[in-house]
């Protein structure tokens, strides 16, 4: 006989940390979007007593789960419940806040971060120093940015080629490769990917598929909005975002309509489909447009059947 378990508001907070950790790790394998949504809503609505160390630890585990699964907005939302002044994980929560602001392109808030925060913490990979350099460039203080970047390079534990390449792009120091495609170095620091994305957008650089692979949930929107990105990658990001319920059908349709096809391609659909056979994202946009230019319902139905 199946045992029905009612998930009460305090269910997680009564468990041991190891048990919560096992539940959250196993939850990463859920394939159903409906179940994911229900679980996320349940976790977001839990109540915590932050005077209790076990509650704080479980709260931290849940935020880390959201961050690992690409739900940066949920991680940020939960972290804002805390008074971080004496919190043992303040550095982690502050990095969540910075990454959320970067991912949503709230650059003024990013650059005011130090003024609004009590900086009794440190972040790995010189995150705060790199934010300072980035903001100096935004303020057209290039000389100061170069000086601070030079000092940071001398004191950092390991070189960050991605940041340095983007730094040079923003200062237009890479004129000899101005028309080439920026690619991420293989040693990607995931916690800095949102900073890389913001720098690339400011420099009007086309983001590559590597950005999407690192964090498809949070970096899809910047890729979709960046008109310097090849349309195929923008479509791929849009299709993934739609399937993950991150954008509405109207937004996906608008991007489909933006793809430029000529009359010859519409007049010879079989030849066009064959020519695009290795590019499913462009084919989706082509069929969308082909269906919508049909005058009679029967013709539209024929194209839809051909699509299926």
């Amino acid at each position: 006989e199946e045992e029905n378990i009612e998930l009460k508001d305090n269910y997680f907070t009564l468990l041991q940390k190891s048990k919560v950790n096992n539940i959250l790790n196993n939850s990463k394998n859920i394939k159903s979007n409906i179940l994911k949504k229900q679980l996320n809503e349940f976790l977001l609505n839990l109540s915590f007593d932050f005077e209790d160390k076990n509650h704080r630890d479980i709260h931290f585990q849940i935020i880390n789960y959201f961050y690992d699964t690409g739900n940066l907005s949920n991680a940020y939302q939960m972290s804002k419940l805390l008074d971080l002044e004496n919190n043992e994980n303040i550095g982690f929560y502050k990095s969540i806040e910075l990454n959320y602001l970067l991912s949503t392109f709230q650059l003024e808030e990013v650059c005011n971060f130090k003024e609004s925060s009590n900086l009794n913490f440190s972040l790995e990979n010189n995150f705060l120093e790199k934010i300072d350099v980035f903001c100096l460039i935004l303020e057209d203080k290039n000389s100061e940015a170069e000086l601070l970047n030079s000092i940071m390079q001398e004191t950092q534990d390991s070189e960050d080629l991605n940041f340095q390449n983007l730094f040079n792009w923003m200062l237009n120091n890479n004129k000899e490769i101005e028309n080439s495609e920026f690619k991420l170095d293989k040693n990607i620091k995931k916690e800095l990917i949102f900073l890389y994305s913001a720098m690339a957008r400011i420099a009007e650089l086309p983001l590559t598929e590597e950005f999407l692979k690192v964090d498809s949930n949070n970096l899809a929107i910047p890729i979709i909005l960046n008109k310097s990105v090849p349309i195929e990658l923008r479509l791929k990001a849009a299709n993934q975002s739609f399937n993950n319920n991150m954008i509405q059908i109207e937004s996906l349709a608008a991007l489909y309509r933006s793809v430029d096809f000529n009359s010859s391609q519409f007049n010879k659909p079989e030849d066009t489909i064959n020519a695009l056979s290795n590019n499913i994202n462009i084919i989706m946009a082509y069929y969308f447009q082909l269906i919508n230019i049909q005058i009679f319902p029967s013709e539209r139905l024929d194209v839809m059947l051909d699509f299926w």
Side-chain angles (χ1 to χ4, degrees):
E1 182 179 349
E2 294 186 4
E3 181 180 358
N4 294 322
I5 301 176
E6 181 182 356
L7 292 179
K8 296 182 179 180
D9 186 48
N10 63 346
Y11 174 72
F12 264 35
T13 55
L14 295 176
L15 297 176
Q16 293 182 342
K17 290 188 298 181
S18 59
K19 181 67 173 179
V20 173
N21 189 55
N22 288 335
I23 293 173
L24 294 176
N25 281 334
N26 290 332
S27 298
K28 294 177 182 179
N29 299 318
I30 295 176
K31 304 299 181 184
S32 168
N33 289 330
I34 295 175
L35 290 178
K36 287 180 184 178
K37 182 179 179 181
Q38 290 297 317
L39 175 62
N40 290 349
E41 289 179 357
F42 167 71
L43 295 175
L44 283 170
N45 289 302
L46 287 172
S47 297
F48 295 92
D49 175 10
F50 293 115
E51 297 298 320
D52 187 309
K53 177 67 164 60
N54 189 61
H55 280 228
R56 292 200 305 274
D57 289 341
I58 291 174
H59 183 261
F60 170 81
Q61 287 177 298
I62 294 172
I63 292 179
N64 195 46
Y65 163 77
F66 279 137
Y67 182 66
D68 284 345
T69 55
N71 290 293
L72 182 59
S73 177
N74 287 348
Y76 174 69
Q77 182 180 336
M78 286 197 71
S79 69
K80 296 302 287 183
L81 300 173
L82 286 161
D83 177 8
L84 297 179
E85 185 173 351
N86 297 311
N87 191 282
E88 55 268 30
N89 297 307
I90 183 173
F92 173 73
Y93 296 126
K94 287 297 184 180
S95 68
I96 292 286
E97 179 180 356
L98 267 176
N99 279 325
Y100 175 78
L101 294 173
L102 287 165
S103 71
T104 53
F105 218 55
Q106 299 181 59
L107 300 187
E108 184 176 352
E109 287 80 359
V110 169
C111 294
N112 291 333
F113 180 82
K114 280 192 172 182
E115 296 178 8
S116 61
S117 298
N118 182 7
L119 297 179
N120 58 342
F121 62 91
S122 60
L123 299 181
E124 295 182 354
N125 300 307
N126 299 95
F127 195 5
L128 290 176
E129 291 82 356
K130 289 169 183 174
I131 291 291
D132 286 340
V133 172
F134 176 50
C135 290
L136 285 171
I137 299 176
L138 294 181
E139 296 167 4
D140 291 325
K141 299 178 180 178
N142 293 350
S143 297
E144 293 179 45
E146 289 185 290
L147 175 60
L148 183 57
N149 184 61
S150 178
I151 295 172
M152 182 182 67
Q153 284 184 289
E154 292 177 0
T155 57
Q156 65 187 0
D157 294 330
S158 60
E159 187 176 15
D160 185 350
L161 291 177
N162 289 313
F163 180 83
Q164 294 306 321
N165 288 337
L166 285 163
F167 173 78
N168 287 326
W169 275 95
M170 291 187 70
L171 292 182
N172 202 23
N173 289 341
N174 282 3
K175 293 181 179 179
E176 70 277 4
I177 56 172
E178 188 171 353
N179 296 320
S180 65
E181 183 183 63
F182 174 79
K183 293 184 178 180
L184 284 172
D185 180 72
K186 63 180 180 179
N187 296 316
I188 300 171
K189 294 176 172 58
K190 183 181 177 181
E191 61 274 17
L192 298 178
I193 194 68
F194 302 101
L195 174 59
Y196 299 158
S197 174
M199 294 175 75
R201 286 183 68 182
I202 290 296
E204 298 182 342
L205 285 171
L207 302 178
T208 66
E209 191 167 357
E210 292 166 301
F211 281 87
L212 196 61
K213 289 178 180 178
V214 171
D215 194 330
S216 59
N217 282 348
N218 293 305
L219 291 176
I221 302 301
I223 287 173
I224 295 168
L225 296 176
N226 190 334
K227 294 183 179 180
S228 299
V229 173
I231 188 61
E232 180 185 354
L233 182 56
R234 294 177 69 198
L235 287 168
K236 182 174 183 177
N239 287 329
Q240 289 186 11
S241 295
F242 176 73
N243 289 332
N244 292 329
N245 298 314
M246 295 176 62
I247 64 173
Q248 300 298 315
I249 187 64
E250 293 80 9
S251 300
L252 182 61
L255 190 59
Y256 280 169
R257 283 192 291 268
S258 72
V259 183
D260 189 19
F261 298 106
N262 57 46
S263 58
S264 176
Q265 289 173 304
F266 288 127
N267 291 333
K268 300 178 180 179
E270 290 187 7
D271 292 343
T272 303
I273 294 300
N274 288 332
L276 299 174
S277 60
N278 294 324
N279 196 328
I280 186 63
N281 297 296
I282 297 293
I283 288 177
M284 292 286 289
Y286 174 77
Y287 265 116
F288 176 85
Q289 293 191 30
L290 183 63
I291 290 168
N292 281 284
I293 64 172
Q294 305 305 313
I295 298 175
F296 300 107
S298 60
E299 293 175 338
R300 181 172 296 189
L301 180 60
D302 287 339
V303 177
M304 290 183 67
L305 290 173
D306 182 54
F307 166 76
W308 287 113

